[in-house]
Amino acid sequence: MKKNKLTYILISCLLIMHTACDDKFDELNTNKVSPTSIDPAFILNTAIQNSSRQALIYEAGIVQQIISPNSGVLTGANYNQDNRPGTLANWQGIYRNVIKNTRDVLKSLEGNPERSNLLQMARIVQAYGFMVLTDSYGDIPYSEAGRGYTGQLFLPAYDAQEAIYTDIIKELTEASGALSAAGRIETADILYNGNVDKWKKFGYSLLLRAGMRLSKADATKAQATVAAAFAGGVILTNADNALMRHDQNYQNPVGGTLNATEAANFYLTEPFVDYLKNTDDPRLPAIAVRYVGATSGTEQTVERASFDPAEQNGMPMGNDNASIVAVAASKGLVSFYEFSQVDRRRLAKLTAPYFFVTAGQTQLLLAEARQRGWINAGTVEEYYNAGITAHMVQLGTVDAASAVAPADIATYLAANPLVPATALEQINTQYWVASFLNGPEAFANFRRSGFPDLAPNPFPGSEVPGAFIRRLTYPDSEKSTNGVNLDAAVSRMGADNLATRVWWDKP
């Protein structure tokens, strides 16, 4: 009897314990710090943050601003050679980190009119990403791109660049026009803190850029697009610049390259330095540094740094790391480590911002538009001077030590006036300078305008039959996984090499 009673008590205790374990079981096994959903504003921020990624191997070298004499992983524009691991930087960075995220934002906001402003912002950022991609490569996956998760489209078709630009113009026009100060203000936005007026200017400035891209491919459409952008309102002051701010946690990608293992491998080119020197441009000491007497990268120290314009010496094009030694000696340098560099402690520091669209660039595009008669307000000279001034002032916003004095700006403008007969060359050469450290944009405008008037890279092992690299080649990963669609694009556009022109790049 005692045994039965003991068994009963034991079973009762076990039942009580089991009930206690079941009680709040779901709560105990729920991870309270793992999010079940993410605000799409944060996803858009990720896309914006990753839009500042770029490599130095191609675009900055093609337009002869920054070059390396080294081969291996740095082979690219320095030798006019195709380096597929180097040409894929824009492709992988933007598709994986920008388009994927903007597509997710747009999908998550379908049927949510309360967050219409965020939707339009995502459309603008997406248009920016696609512009960089199509300008770099030509025909690309567009209408089906970034829909692997939402649409199960894992092998997207390639769209023709002409159709892509038609849709980009539509997207920027609609999104910029639909932004409304009466709607919800998306204060989590890292670009403009939800400021609708500034987002509108960003969108219309991109529309202006898109219109100007078509200046040779479709002048009628270019003019109409430029006029619409100007009427909408574009970025005219540095306070409205579209830029990605960086800090020690989210570092500038170019700064990361130039402050790490590649610090002693990239140099300002002779054409870029000489242009600034020959015009007594006050931006040269704001941009450049030369480590006088340096015989190695470790000797490029603060104590050796010279910002004196007279001492700056750009690296000539067309050399490898053997031939550049003799070139340096012929110029009286103790080694090629003495050639001028962009100052990695100022403009290329880790916390330097990355500029997507600036007042300097936009004012110069308006100068060209006015020169072409595509807008009627203002004068060419006013826009031209405003563009140069804005860029000079912009340098000081990156680092106080790179500030250009107002008196020096005035002196420069007086000594280098706009000449009507050479206006387009002057405007677009200034655009080249104003786009420094934004390689994709400098490369795109150089091809579109034909300026500055640069001599081809004379490297003897060039793989480019034409004078300049005209596009980047598709990644090998596309050949192996999406070869059928890639082949269709190549058959339509031309050979997948560095010399094929994209649709809007007319001779």
Side-chain angles (χ1 to χ4, degrees), residues 347-405:
L347 291 192
K349 61 187 177 182
L350 293 172
T351 57
Y354 181 86
F355 293 92
F356 303 122
V357 181
T358 68
Q361 292 170 325
T362 301
Q363 293 275 14
L364 290 167
L365 290 181
L366 292 177
E368 181 176 346
R370 186 69 182 91
Q371 175 72 17
R372 292 178 178 275
W374 291 353
I375 59 174
N376 297 318
T379 68
V380 180
E381 185 176 26
E382 287 171 344
Y383 292 123
Y384 177 76
N385 289 343
I388 296 171
T389 300
H391 183 246
M392 289 186 176
V393 173
Q394 175 190 313
L395 297 177
T397 68
V398 178
D399 193 288
S402 288
V404 180

Side-chain angles (χ1 to χ4, degrees), residues 162-186:
E162 183 175 4
I164 293 170
Y165 256 91
T166 296
D167 198 67
I168 284 176
I169 289 170
K170 176 189 76 68
E171 284 292 291
L172 290 171
T173 301
E174 292 179 357
S176 302
L179 286 162
S180 173
R184 171 171 167 169
I185 303 303
E186 300 288 345

Side-chain angles (χ1 to χ4, degrees), residues 100 104 107 146-154:
K100 180 182 72 174
D104 286 351
K107 181 67 175 179
R147 301 185 188 276
Y149 178 74
T150 59
Q152 304 298 297
L153 292 170
F154 302 114

Side-chain angles (χ1 to χ4, degrees), residues 385-452:
N385 289 343
I388 296 171
T389 300
H391 183 246
M392 289 186 176
V393 173
Q394 175 190 313
L395 297 177
T397 68
V398 178
D399 193 288
S402 288
V404 180
D408 291 338
I409 297 175
T411 298
Y412 178 82
L413 293 177
N416 299 276
L418 184 71
V419 178
T422 58
L424 289 181
E425 179 175 3
Q426 287 181 268
I427 291 166
N428 285 288
T429 301
Q430 287 293 337
Y431 196 93
W432 175 59
V433 179
S435 299
F436 181 67
L437 293 180
N438 185 336
E441 181 57 23
F443 179 41
N445 198 68
F446 168 67
R447 288 174 289 161
R448 177 195 71 84
S449 69
F451 298 114

